[in-house]
Amino acid sequence: LPPPVLQVPTNNASTPTRPAAGVLAMYDSSGAYPDSPGIGWYASWGAVTSQGDYTITNTSRIVKKYVGLQYAGMEFYANPINATAYDTFHIDIWTPNANQLGVKLVSLTGGTQDPQVNVASGLVTSNHWVGLDFPLSAFQALRADWDPSNLQQMLLVDNSTAGPGAQGGIFYVDNAYFYNSTMLTPPAISASYSGGSLDLSFPTQNGFSYTVQYKTNLTDAVWQTLTNFSGDGSVPMIPDPANH
């Protein structure tokens, strides 16, 4: 039988591990980075059924929740964000019923500038935390006068302009930050043993390739490759049935 459909997250998104020197955070519930001041996460002009903070049960983690999302607005007029030192925007989402999302990063310099970058098909999946990365170059490509030095609004969009998928979804949001992708940190690896197999797991990032290697003996001169795969923001489990 398929696993039951959940309506709310029962666990946290992975705690970010990128070097703080290369991150400008809007919000992260873990406290790994200081949040930018003065961000209003629930603009009154958003088209949502409801919106507000949500505490994940049995944890102290508070995330942002948007129900019936057509578009939701975040405002930070008094403290504009200067993202020129960064090349990527990251956000973690959890949804029980959506399969698309678009993000607008808006600068009001010289008029409203609202390039929208949509998530590639298949990346927004339900019932688990998904990490999404948006290259800032994609926003610049849509509008040449887009000014990352003076961002004053952000919008999350789940309507027809984000694609032909389901609309009006429920979204839980955490770990929204800008980062410099050249400052990648090796992921922390967890290991467990069950059913005769040693299982390895670690957080991945979109746009990066990963190789898992092993040695039968630590004194061996050469590492052997167990598997290669592309990161998608998830935390995969890599079984090693041979217990190398």
Side-chain angles (χ1 to χ4, degrees):
L1 295 177
V5 175
L6 303 175
Q7 292 301 311
V8 298
T10 58
N11 66 309
N12 307 319
S14 298
T15 299
T17 59
R18 293 184 177 91
V23 171
L24 190 161
M26 294 179 66
Y27 181 78
D28 84 277
S29 68
S30 70
Y33 312 121
D35 297 336
S36 297
I39 296 178
W41 280 89
Y42 309 115
S44 60
W45 43 263
V48 294
T49 303
S50 64
Q51 56 185 348
D53 288 355
Y54 177 82
T55 302
I56 300 175
T57 302
N58 297 321
T59 78
S60 59
R61 296 290 187 89
I62 300 173
V63 298
K64 310 302 181 182
K65 180 180 180 180
Y66 302 92
V67 177
L69 176 70
Q70 294 298 318
Y71 57 88
M74 300 88 215
E75 303 169 319
F76 30 100
Y77 306 123
N79 294 282
I81 288 176
N82 182 350
T84 54
Y86 311 95
D87 58 25
T88 309
F89 175 71
H90 175 92
I91 193 168
D92 286 335
I93 64 166
W94 193 103
T95 177
N97 60 355
N99 59 9
Q100 65 174 357
L101 185 70
V103 170
K104 292 184 179 183
L105 294 172
V106 181
S107 170
L108 301 181
T109 302
T112 300
Q113 303 174 53
D114 54 356
Q116 177 177 318
V117 176
N118 300 324
V119 177
S121 176
L123 288 183
V124 176
T125 52
S126 59
N127 292 306
H128 64 112
W129 285 100
V130 178
L132 303 173
D133 291 292
F134 298 81
L136 298 192
S137 59
F139 295 91
Q140 193 80 62
L142 292 172
R143 186 157 182 170
D145 61 352
W146 181 68
D147 183 6
S149 72
N150 188 38
L151 301 177
Q152 299 184 42
Q153 293 178 349
M154 181 174 77
L155 287 83
L156 302 179
V157 181
D158 179 24
N159 58 26
S160 59
T161 62
Q167 299 177 28
I170 299 171
F171 288 87
Y172 298 82
V173 174
D174 198 0
N175 299 331
Y177 56 81
F178 298 85
Y179 71 92
N180 188 327
S181 63
T182 62
M183 300 183 66
L184 177 65
T185 299
I189 299 176
S190 300
S192 61
Y193 185 83
S194 65
S197 174
L198 177 66
D199 298 325
L200 305 176
S201 61
F202 52 87
T204 66
Q205 298 179 28
N206 291 326
F208 290 90
S209 297
Y210 295 82
T211 299
V212 179
Q213 296 184 316
Y214 69 91
K215 286 183 178 183
T216 303
N217 294 294
L218 291 178
T219 56
D220 291 348
V222 179
W223 287 89
Q224 305 295 319
T225 296
L226 178 64
T227 186
N228 296 291
F229 62 96
S230 298
D232 60 2
S234 66
V235 183
M237 182 168 290
I238 311 299
D240 181 12
N243 292 323
H244 294 114

